[in-house]
Amino acid sequence: RRIAQHSAHSVSALLSASGMLRQDSTDGLNLLLGALQEVRGYSAKCQQPLPDVQEILATGQNAIRNFCERPARQELARAWLTRHGLQHCVRLLAAQGLLERLPEVAASVELAEKIGLPQRCYKALATLAAGASIEDAHLAPRGLPAGWRKAFSRSVAMEYFVQVGDAKRTQWPWPVAEGAAGGE
């Protein structure tokens, strides 16, 4: 029980106050995956569920999910902006790390001003967002690109992705169709 709780604190140390990866990189992802695997192993040996440990595990899994969905969410936001004639906003939002948070930017004058989004860009985005309704659910990854399938890791209780025909190529981040990422 104590070992599981101590391990859970190592998961917490890898997360920011907002529940995201403190080290926002593949290395940070791998550290968190290892810590989650350790905590799950120790907590499985406990006879009673440990609510605080379960909560930390859930927070860690959410951080992983957010990190791994980011490429697909960014591509969906890029496509939405382009479809609505706002491709000129893509680079600025991407540079600020806000492309996948498009609904939040569209709804917040303060956030738009903070990142230096030109007023004409923000006004166009806010007007479009109100009429064309850009919501967080619109940026949720749905289907996989051709040649990919989902698999499940029992050690961390999360899905990862396998390239079909090449079982040695696996990845945690949601795959994006070749040629799509970075396109404007």
Side-chain angles (χ1 to χ4, degrees), residues 2-182:
R2 282 190 192 142
I3 295 172
Q5 289 173 325
H6 179 71
S7 294
H9 289 296
S10 68
V11 168
S12 293
L14 297 170
L15 301 173
S16 69
S18 62
M20 304 302 267
L21 285 175
R22 187 177 300 277
Q23 187 180 342
D24 191 34
S25 66
T26 303
D27 288 342
L29 173 66
N30 289 331
L31 287 170
L32 184 54
L33 285 165
L36 280 179
Q37 185 175 3
E38 183 177 288
V39 173
R40 284 182 52 80
Y42 287 130
S43 64
K45 295 175 185 175
C46 295
Q47 293 182 7
Q48 295 179 338
L50 305 170
D52 53 333
V53 172
Q54 295 305 313
E55 185 178 325
I56 290 171
L57 282 171
T59 302
Q61 287 175 322
N62 283 335
I64 290 170
R65 197 171 295 103
N66 287 333
F67 180 87
C68 291
E69 287 182 357
R70 186 180 306 153
R73 291 177 65 79
Q74 289 173 338
E75 187 52 39
L76 289 166
R78 194 177 277 113
W80 189 90
L81 287 165
T82 301
R83 202 169 39 254
H84 291 91
L86 293 175
Q87 59 272 17
H88 58 281
C89 298
V90 170
R91 282 192 191 164
L92 180 58
L93 291 168
Q96 296 293 327
L98 294 171
L99 195 54
E100 70 274 12
R101 292 172 54 195
L102 189 56
E104 185 181 345
V105 174
S108 171
V109 175
E110 296 81 20
L111 184 56
E113 288 174 350
K114 182 179 177 183
I115 64 168
L117 194 62
Q119 190 172 24
R120 70 177 177 82
C121 202
Y122 170 72
K123 283 183 178 181
L125 179 59
T127 302
L128 263 174
S133 82
I134 180 72
E135 297 173 9
D136 201 48
H138 292 114
L139 301 183
R142 291 179 270 297
L144 291 169
W148 290 92
R149 69 175 175 83
K150 289 181 183 181
F152 188 78
S153 168
R154 290 187 307 248
S155 64
V156 292
M158 295 193 71
E159 291 178 333
Y160 63 98
F161 304 93
V162 178
Q163 194 168 26
V164 177
D166 185 9
K168 293 181 183 172
R169 171 120 190 255
T170 61
Q171 66 185 45
W172 289 97
W174 195 283
V176 176
E178 286 198 30

